[in-house]
Each structure stands twice: as C-alpha cells, then as structure tokens.
Amino acid sequence: MICKGRAFSGVDHGALWQYVIVGLTLGFTDLVVMGGYTALAARLLASLKSPASMRALNRVFGSLFVAAGALLAAFKRGV
C-alpha cells in the first residue's frame, strides 16, 4: 500500500530531524512508563513491610517455582 500523505514530520525535513523527533518521543514515553512503574513499586513496597505479607508473597512465588519445576519435569522433547 502506498501512502499518499506526507511523512510524519514532512519530507522537506532531513532524516536527522526525524531521528531527533523519534528519539524524543521514545525518551518521553520511557520516562512516563518508568515513572508509573516507580509509583507502583513504591505503593507495593509500603504494603510488603509486614512479615505476614512477606510470608504470603514468598508462598505465592515458591508455589510458582514448584509449578514451573513440575512442568519442566513433565516436559518431553519431541525428537
């Protein structure tokens, strides 16, 4: 399919300008997403300070590791 419109920053601009726009866009998006992850981690860290919540988290992840080990043990490679 041929695009009849203009490029995202115009064909009259050079490739360097388009790379700058893409880089700034990716950098801004990364900052916003990582800021969200940081805020979520701060909230979770506050809730994981009690021993009971840490024990529950350890049990959940321990169970996941046991399940992953059982799946690996039951896996048969097709030859």
Side-chain angles (χ1 to χ4, degrees):
M1 176 181 219
I2 298 174
C3 179
K4 305 272 184 192
R6 297 176 55 183
F8 72 92
S9 69
V11 292
D12 50 342
H13 293 27
L16 179 62
W17 177 246
Q18 293 182 7
Y19 283 126
V20 168
I21 291 174
V22 169
L24 289 173
T25 303
L26 289 174
F28 176 75
T29 304
D30 187 48
L31 283 174
V32 170
V33 169
M34 292 304 151
Y37 283 148
T38 303
L40 179 64
R43 288 183 122 190
L44 286 175
L45 183 63
S47 68
L48 289 177
K49 295 222 178 202
S50 72
S53 61
M54 283 300 295
R55 187 169 35 255
L57 185 69
N58 285 336
R59 287 183 180 166
V60 167
F61 281 107
S63 300
L64 289 173
F65 276 116
V66 168
L71 285 172
L72 285 173
F75 181 73
K76 291 189 178 196
R77 276 178 65 179
V79 179

